[in-house]
Amino acid sequence: MAFDIQPCQLSDMPDLVTVFQSAFANDPIVGRLMPDVPADIKHARDVQSFSKSFNERHLNGAQYFKAVELATGCVISPTQPSPAPSPACDAVNKRLVLKPKCRKTVGFAKWQVPCKLTPEQKAEKERCDGVKIPYPDGAN
């Protein structure tokens, strides 16, 4: 398999959340955070949280990158269920969509680099830090 490292876009957040949730699916600590919350609600909440963090990257020196598989085959499309998935994809996940020459995000990284904020950016960061993404009912 060949991979390419690319900068993330806001539109990548649903795929990053899918990768994150897959990576920590069996983690006992993460599993206790929202044990009684349906998967689609967890995913939507985490997309909100990842998107907020991504949109505030200019305030904390964060840089986001994704590892993209360059092979053809199935691509994760969490927001667009397939109307008629192929049998090969259907066995893996009902939401996989077969597309020729598609690219699948298989990993991501977030780096924080030192940055010096202007007084205006400091005020914006304080306002943003006060805005919290609420956890859904059923979360601990």
Side-chain angles (χ1 to χ4, degrees):
M1 272 187 230
F3 297 95
D4 189 27
I5 304 298
Q6 303 171 357
C8 290
Q9 305 298 320
L10 183 60
S11 60
D12 293 318
M13 295 305 111
D15 286 344
L16 270 56
V17 168
T18 299
V19 170
F20 176 83
Q21 289 181 342
S22 295
F24 292 97
N26 296 317
D27 183 274
I29 295 172
V30 173
R32 290 180 184 256
L33 185 60
M34 293 189 273
D36 299 323
V37 178
D40 59 331
I41 294 174
K42 283 184 202 180
H43 192 273
R45 190 264 174 213
D46 285 351
V47 169
Q48 286 182 323
S49 180
F50 275 54
S51 297
K52 180 181 184 302
S53 179
F54 183 83
N55 284 331
E56 295 171 1
R57 66 193 183 284
H58 67 287
L59 300 174
N60 58 27
Q63 298 178 23
Y64 290 75
F65 297 92
K66 61 185 177 180
V68 179
E69 181 185 0
L70 300 177
T72 61
C74 298
V75 62
I76 295 175
S77 180
T79 58
Q80 178 187 350
S82 173
S86 72
C89 291
D90 193 37
V92 179
N93 182 328
K94 296 281 186 197
R95 295 179 177 192
L96 294 178
V97 180
L98 189 63
K99 296 182 179 178
K101 297 184 181 177
C102 62
R103 295 178 176 205
K104 177 181 177 182
T105 301
V106 294
F108 73 94
K110 175 184 173 184
W111 281 281
Q112 302 270 161
V113 295
C115 67
K116 186 170 183 164
L117 300 178
T118 66
E120 294 81 17
Q121 288 174 315
K122 287 180 183 178
E124 182 183 355
K125 184 172 182 347
E126 286 179 21
R127 282 191 303 275
C128 290
D129 287 348
V131 176
K132 304 294 182 195
I133 305 294
Y135 284 95
D137 291 340
N140 289 326

